[in-house]
Amino acid sequence: MKLNKVLRKIRDNYRDFYWWRDNIIYYILRMFERNNGDYILDEDWDNLIILDDCRYDIFKIIYLERKMIGKLQKRISRGTYTVDFLVENFSRCDRYNDIVYITANPYVDMHLDGRFYKIISVWKTGWNEKYKTVLPSTVMYAVINALKKYQRKRFIIHFLQPHHPYLSLDFEDLLMEKIRDAATGNRNIQNIKEERAKSLLAIYSSSLYASVPIDRIVEAYINNLRIVMPYVELLLSELPGRTIVTSDHGESFGDKINPLVPIKFYGHGFTRLRSLISVPWLVVDEEFKAFYRREERKRKNKREIAEVEKKLYSERQRIRELMKLLRLREKI
């Protein structure tokens, strides 16, 4: 099966020099890499909140900005993309009967189906067509409902943010900017995109990086993390026991793939760059839970959530989302 997949990829891309370059570099780098990441199941926790694609350094900025409390450390992930993280962490046992995994990421179902006491696949019922993602409110409500039913289980809660799609990035405005920029001479938007994608000095894991200025992407990435954090804090006030906030991997915004190689990498999943494997590990014990349970803190988080959802939803869309949540509640 794997051989057929490889042969199919070669057949589809054998004339593409950049495809060969990227894959040869990838396999050379992987040959010399050593995975010294931490196993999440070796740690002591009752609940694990995973923020998909969250870098440690960006998380620390938001942690300080929000004046959060808890023991924040930097940890090394075993993965540079979600599948890598899941397979590395959950391959040592056939089944984890003490864990309920609530996920907005479909890769959990694809690679770990049957491994947990229950997988609550929020992405199946809570997918938002407008934004092409699962919004954090859907995950939060699913967790609150599941807490009542599975009181003696540990929880893994997998949000999609800050991973793109970026909820604050207006692609229509960006497209108009690019069309105006490309109006001079014979260059057009497609030419510019192809020039970036086929640069000898850059590798892109997503065409997003080939079409949007990097400073706009970084800003939108940080905003995605800001959007999800009030939901995370509300869950910290509800979840019993020791809760850890962490990530499966980080994101690269143009790191050199090797000190000796001038090629820069954008995105995630290519190789074990520091920006991809350095993830947050925020420990919130019961001693810190009182802070998140304070009425003024909860009111602040609820105000922030209301502001976020006012921007994201029209009234009609909000009603549709609430209906989805009701259907999800029936299935949990």
Side-chain angles (χ1 to χ4, degrees), residues 32-156:
F32 296 99
E33 282 181 349
R34 186 168 60 90
N35 193 334
N36 61 344
D38 299 306
Y39 285 101
I40 59 172
L41 291 171
D42 288 346
E43 304 292 338
D44 177 25
W45 50 267
D46 300 296
N47 312 289
L48 193 73
I49 298 176
I50 297 173
L51 300 176
D52 205 302
D53 194 32
C54 187
R55 294 167 54 124
Y56 168 78
D57 54 353
I58 304 294
F59 183 90
K60 185 176 180 180
I61 290 170
I62 303 303
Y63 168 84
L64 295 172
E65 178 183 284
R66 296 184 63 81
K67 299 178 181 177
M68 297 174 69
I69 65 169
K71 298 174 185 175
L72 178 59
Q73 308 165 33
K74 182 197 292 184
R75 290 295 180 90
I76 303 302
S77 175
R78 294 200 62 80
T80 60
Y81 61 105
T82 301
V83 175
D84 206 14
F85 167 83
L86 294 173
V87 172
E88 282 288 327
N89 278 290
F90 297 103
S91 59
R92 296 189 293 173
C93 184
D94 291 333
R95 189 164 171 83
Y96 305 92
N97 283 318
D98 62 330
I99 295 175
V100 173
Y101 201 129
I102 301 171
T103 180
N105 192 317
Y107 284 129
V108 177
D109 297 77
M110 291 168 65
H111 293 273
L112 300 177
D113 187 32
R115 289 288 182 97
F116 303 100
Y117 180 81
K118 187 174 182 63
I119 296 178
I120 299 174
S121 308
V122 182
W123 60 274
K124 289 183 180 179
T125 50
W127 186 259
N128 186 288
E129 275 300 323
K130 180 181 178 182
Y131 294 103
K132 306 300 181 188
T133 189
V134 178
L135 296 177
S137 58
T138 309
V139 178
M140 184 186 73
Y141 289 128
V143 174
I144 291 170
N145 288 332
L147 275 173
K148 300 169 186 174
K149 188 169 183 180
Y150 306 105
Q151 295 181 13
R152 296 185 180 180
K153 300 298 180 183
R154 297 201 291 168
F155 286 88
I156 299 178

Side-chain angles (χ1 to χ4, degrees), residues 254-298:
D255 301 289
K256 286 185 180 179
I257 62 172
N258 186 284
L260 303 176
V261 181
I263 298 172
K264 294 181 177 181
F265 177 70
Y266 296 85
H268 55 267
F270 191 73
T271 187
R272 291 187 67 77
L273 299 172
R274 184 174 300 176
S275 57
L276 298 185
I277 60 175
S278 298
V279 296
W281 189 264
L282 176 63
V283 181
V284 182
D285 285 316
E286 282 297 332
E287 62 183 293
F288 300 117
K289 291 288 177 72
F291 170 80
Y292 296 102
R293 287 172 181 153
R294 289 176 184 168
E295 280 306 313
E296 61 269 26
R297 190 74 185 189
K298 292 176 79 170

Side-chain angles (χ1 to χ4, degrees), residues 242-254:
R242 170 177 280 197
T243 299
I244 308 294
V245 183
T246 187
S247 181
D248 48 353
H249 59 82
E251 184 81 351
S252 172
F253 299 122

